Amino acid sequence: MNGLAGTGSLVGFIARRERVRLAVWILILTVLPIGTARAFLGLYATDQAREQLARTVASNPAMVGLLGPVYGSTIGALTAWRVGTLGALLVGLMAVLTVIRHTREEEETGRRELIGSTVVGRQAPLTAALTVTVGAGLILGLLVAGGLMGTGLPVGGAVAFGAGFAAAALVFAGLAGLAAQLTEGAGAARGVAITGLGGAFLLRVAGDGGEASGLSWLAWLSPLGWFTRLRAFAGERWWVLLLSAGLAGLLVLAGYGLAARRDVGAGVLEPRIGPGSASRGLGSPTGLAWRLHRGSLLGWGIGLAVVGAVFGSVADGIGELIADNPQMAVIFERLGGERGLTDAFFSAALGIVAVVAAAFAVRAALRMRVEEEAGRAEPVLVTATPRLRWAGSHLAFAILGPVVILAAAGVTAGATFGAITGDVGGRTLSVLGAALIQIPAVWVLGGVATALFGLFPRFTALSWAALVACLLLGQLGEILQLPRWALNLSPFTHIPRLPAPDLELTPLIWLVGIAAAMFAAGLAAFRRRDLD
C-alpha cells in the first residue's frame, strides 16, 4: 500500500475536529500584532517619541533579554520588538499541541489502530497532522501580513512578520512530529516538545540579554531567535527563513524515519522496566499521585529556576534606563530610583514566570481528567479509596507545586542578581517575595481547572484558554488600551507589586477566597457526578 494513502481524508477529518481550536488560535495571534501596531500609532504619534522609546526602554539589556532586540524606531519595528517573540512562542505552542493531539494521543487512545485497519498508509496520520498544522501557520501568516499592511505598514516588513510566524509553526510542528515517535505517551511527547520550545526561548533570552558579554551567538541557535534576526520592518533578512525551513525539514525527515521503524502504540525510546512488585508508597492515593507528578514537578522546577537565573543576570542593565536621561531619572525617582526600576522589572518578569507556574497548576489539576478518560481512575475508586481523597492527592500538587516552582525561580533570580550587585541575601529575599506573592493568582487558575473538571468535564480545555487570556492581558492589555474591567478579568492584575511600603492584603484575600470556592465547587460536583 502507498504509505500516504488516505492522507486527504485524514486532513479533512483533522481539519473538521480542529476547526474551532485553530480558529481561536489564529484569531488571537492575528489580533495580537495588528492591535499592538494600532496602539503604538496612538501612543507614540511622533517620530521623536518613537525614537526615545527605541533608544531607552526597548534598547535596555534587561528589556532586550525579555522581549528581544529592537531594530529601528518605526511602528513596524516597535511592533516586532514588543510582540514578535511572544507571538512566535505562542505559534510554536499551537503547533506542538495540535500535532501531538493527532499523532501520539490518537495512538494512546487506540483510535490510530482503528484508522490503520482501513485503507490508510503508514505515514498518512503524521502527514495529515503536519499538513493541517502547517496550513494553519500559513493562513495565520497571510492574515497577519494582510492586517499589518492594512494599518499602513510597509509590505515587505508585514510579509516578513507573517512569514516569521509561519516559520515558527513549521519548525515546531516538525519538532512535535519527532517527539511523537520517541515516547509511548502523549503526555511524555508533549513534555519533550514543550521542553524543546522552552529551550529555544531560554537560548533566545540568554543570547539577546547577554550581547554585552559576547553571548549573542546563543540566539542564533534558537528558532525563536531567528524571528528577531529576520528583522521585519528593518531591512529584512529573507535568508534567515532558510534556517527555519532547513531545520524543519531535518525534523520531519527524522520523524518519518522513526515512524517507519516502530510499531503502532510503541515509542522509539523503550520504557524502563519497572520492579516486579509495587512499593509501599503506591498503596495510597498520595503515593500514586507523587509517582505521577514528581517528574513534571522536578522538570518544571529546574526549568523555571534556570529562567530565573537568566532574568537575574540581565537585570543589572536596567539601571541604564536612567543613565544620561534626566527626564526618565525624574520619573523613576518617584518609583524608588534605580532600585525601584529594577524591582519593577522583576515584578514584570516574575509575572511571566507565574503564568508558567499556573500552567503547571492547571496541568496537575487536569491530571484527574486524564486518569478518568484513560480508565485508570475507576479501578482506584472501586476500592475503599474515597473520591475526595483521590482528588485531593492530585490537587495537592496543583496547590503546592506552584509554590515550589515560584520559590525556585525567585531564589535563583534574586541570588544571581545579588551576586552581581554584591547583596545576595537582601536581593534574594526581595525577589523571592515578589515571586511568592503571585501564588494566589496561580491558585485561581488551578481552581478554574478543578471547577471545570467537576462541573463540566468535557470542557476542561477552557482552563487552558483562560491561561492564555491571562498571559495576553498581562503582556499587552495596557498597550492595547483595553478597558479596566477587561484587565481585571485576569487574577494577576490584582497582585500587588513588591516591595511596597504598605502591602494591600485585601486583593490577596479575595483571590485566595475565589480559588478556594472554585476548588470546593469542583470537588463537590465530582463527588456527585458519574465517571465518564
Side-chain angles (χ1 to χ4, degrees), residues 105-471:
E105 188 171 310
E106 291 294 283
E107 294 188 38
E108 189 176 41
T109 58
R111 291 190 291 263
R112 167 70 174 85
E113 190 170 4
L114 292 176
I115 293 174
S117 65
T118 64
V119 186
V120 172
R122 187 176 185 85
Q123 305 292 1
L126 176 58
T127 304
L130 292 174
T131 300
V132 172
T133 305
V134 174
L138 292 174
I139 293 172
L140 171 63
L142 291 172
L143 291 176
V144 168
L148 291 176
M149 284 187 280
T151 63
L153 298 184
V155 174
V159 172
F161 196 107
F165 274 12
L170 182 64
V171 169
F172 290 105
L175 175 63
L178 177 59
Q181 314 311 315
L182 297 175
T183 63
E184 286 192 354
R190 275 191 291 266
V192 170
I194 291 177
T195 298
L197 181 62
F201 174 76
L202 282 178
L203 284 173
R204 188 210 62 76
V205 171
D208 290 337
E211 186 172 356
S213 56
L215 297 176
S216 59
W217 58 273
L218 289 174
W220 282 102
L221 302 179
S222 167
L224 297 178
W226 298 342
F227 181 92
T228 60
R229 269 61 184 175
L230 182 58
R231 294 198 178 191
F233 303 104
E236 292 77 19
R237 294 174 171 174
W238 298 102
W239 60 267
V240 174
L241 294 173
L242 297 177
L243 297 176
S244 297
L247 177 58
L250 292 175
L251 292 171
V252 170
L253 288 175
Y256 278 126
L258 295 179
R261 290 171 172 78
R262 67 176 181 86
D263 294 331
V264 175
V268 174
L269 301 177
E270 295 184 2
R272 186 179 61 183
I273 299 177
S277 59
S279 63
R280 289 186 178 181
L282 291 177
S284 67
T286 302
L288 177 59
W290 167 250
R291 178 65 180 82
L292 294 173
H293 291 281
R294 67 185 183 186
S296 60
L297 178 61
L298 179 63
W300 287 60
I302 293 175
L304 288 184
V306 173
V307 171
V310 172
F311 284 146
S313 66
V314 302
D316 186 47
I318 201 72
E320 296 179 11
L321 278 176
I322 58 177
D324 302 323
N325 194 326
Q327 292 179 339
M328 296 195 73
V330 171
I331 294 174
F332 288 117
E333 185 177 353
R334 300 171 185 172
L335 297 175
E338 181 177 338
R339 185 180 181 100
L341 183 57
T342 304
D343 291 332
F345 167 76
F346 275 119
S347 292
L350 291 172
I352 299 175
V353 173
V355 174
V356 180
F360 175 86
V362 170
R363 183 179 184 275
L366 294 186
R367 181 72 195 208
M368 296 184 292
R369 181 60 179 168
V370 171
E371 295 295 297
E372 181 182 6
E373 289 183 318
R376 294 188 292 266
E378 190 171 2
V380 176
L381 294 176
V382 296
T383 66
T385 303
R387 282 196 178 195
L388 293 186
R389 185 182 176 191
W390 174 80
S393 65
H394 289 284
L395 293 183
F397 289 89
I399 295 171
L400 300 179
V403 178
V404 175
I405 292 172
L406 284 170
V411 167
T412 56
T416 303
F417 183 59
I420 295 173
T421 59
D423 183 17
V424 175
R427 283 301 187 176
T428 300
L429 290 176
S430 175
V431 178
L432 177 61
L436 294 181
I437 202 172
Q438 307 280 343
I439 289 173
V442 173
W443 284 345
V444 169
L445 287 172
V448 169
T450 304
L452 288 171
F453 166 73
L455 295 168
F456 309 104
R458 298 185 184 275
F459 298 94
T460 51
L462 292 177
S463 55
W464 294 110
L467 180 70
V468 173
C470 290
L471 174 64

